[in-house]
Amino acid sequence: MRFQGKSIIVTGAASGIGRAAATLFAAEGAAVLCADWAESVEGVAQAIRDTGGRAEATRIDAGKEDDVARTVAQAVDAFGGLDIFFANAGISGGMANIFDTDVSLITEVLRVNLVGPYLAIKHAAPEIAKRGGGAIVLTASVAGIRSGAGSPAYSASKAGVINLAQVAAQQLSGSNVRVNAICPGLTETGMTKPTFDYAREAGKMEKVGRLNPLRRAAQPEELARVALFLASADASYVNGQAIAVDGGLSSSHPVTRQEYGKTAV
């Protein structure tokens, strides 16, 4: 029960990593405000309540300042304060290359994926500091570490999130508010559903995630558990870091790998 008595906001809570994290936070004693653009976020909060947890839901555009400010105020009013913000909401923006990507698409991806976490820090950090400190966790991506794991728009937005975590950790010096990021590799979520659906229909699931040493994609709970670690007192001395949770994909530049048990050619 690492989060007993803690007040937590999770954005992107309607599905995938956000839903898994909201459920796990609540299971460890937290009061959770589940925030998402999708109406189905209400069902996530209800499922938590049905199992004896404490949760509320709100609809939010994570890249809109009024919505983020309102969500922080809602958590403070409902739960008496705010201890943790998991800024997880994001969009993919498709896979178009630089020359086929419209500026309006890049702008929207940056608005949700980068401006959203910035707004979370701006509005949540003062409230968290009032409680004596806590944690902000941002969802970046392995695509933000180096090329080859996402579109230009998505990759640039997530690289920005990594740097934002570092800058925010410094600018919150003395507040006891820690800021870290997780960098997921390929994970089965609502965002990646088309990829997984195609692989299943084509009978090619064995190829999904095969570029990383574990040779598989992640499940949302595997990412959520790392977010919970960074939000907890177990990570009390972890600050300004971007933790790759990608099966080892980012441990190497792309190479022709030697197959297990076989001689390299």
Side-chain angles (χ1 to χ4, degrees):
M1 302 297 284
R2 291 177 293 179
F3 302 102
Q4 188 69 46
K6 300 296 185 182
S7 166
I8 299 174
I9 295 171
V10 178
T11 64
S15 64
I17 297 167
R19 178 173 60 192
T23 302
L24 291 173
F25 274 128
E28 292 203 34
V32 184
L33 180 55
C34 304
D36 201 292
W37 180 251
E39 186 177 350
S40 56
V41 71
E42 300 284 350
V44 176
Q46 186 60 55
I48 290 172
R49 293 192 292 267
D50 289 345
T51 57
R54 187 179 180 190
E56 294 192 6
T58 190
R59 302 283 298 282
I60 181 176
D61 179 339
K64 185 177 179 181
E65 185 161 20
D66 288 349
D67 280 17
V68 176
R70 170 183 54 77
T71 299
V72 170
Q74 182 178 342
V76 171
D77 291 343
F79 305 140
L82 182 64
D83 299 288
I84 295 161
F85 196 123
F86 181 23
N88 168 71
I91 59 175
S92 73
M95 290 300 295
N97 64 33
I98 288 174
F99 304 103
D100 294 330
T101 301
D102 190 83
V103 171
S104 62
L105 175 62
I106 296 177
T107 302
E108 180 64 5
V109 171
L110 290 172
R111 185 185 73 83
V112 177
N113 291 2
L114 181 54
V115 175
Y118 157 75
L119 293 173
I121 296 167
K122 176 182 177 181
H123 291 281
E127 294 296 337
I128 296 172
K130 289 178 185 178
R131 301 268 275 191
I136 298 172
V137 181
L138 315 177
T139 296
S141 171
V142 67
I145 298 174
R146 57 174 60 92
S147 67
S151 69
Y154 183 81
S155 299
S157 72
K158 295 303 187 176
V161 172
I162 292 170
N163 189 264
L164 179 64
Q166 296 167 344
V167 172
Q170 290 295 322
Q171 295 198 354
L172 287 167
S173 293
S175 69
N176 201 32
V177 179
R178 298 179 297 106
V179 185
N180 293 288
I182 60 170
C183 299
L186 181 61
T187 307
E188 189 166 8
T189 67
M191 184 186 298
T192 60
K193 186 176 184 297
T195 297
F196 283 85
D197 287 348
Y198 170 79
R200 288 191 177 96
E201 291 170 4
K204 297 181 178 180
M205 277 299 293
E206 77 281 356
K207 294 186 176 182
V208 176
R210 69 189 303 270
L211 292 179
N212 73 62
L214 293 184
R215 296 296 180 92
R216 65 175 179 85
Q219 291 301 308
E221 290 76 14
E222 294 180 289
L223 278 300
R225 291 187 193 106
V226 179
L228 263 69
F229 164 71
L230 290 173
S232 75
D234 293 338
S236 58
Y237 205 55
V238 181
N239 195 21
Q241 302 303 306
I243 309 298
V245 191
D246 62 358
L249 179 67
S250 60
S251 65
S252 173
H253 293 292
V255 295
T256 300
R257 291 187 174 88
Q258 179 178 339
E259 294 289 333
Y260 179 74
K262 298 179 181 179
T263 302
V265 177

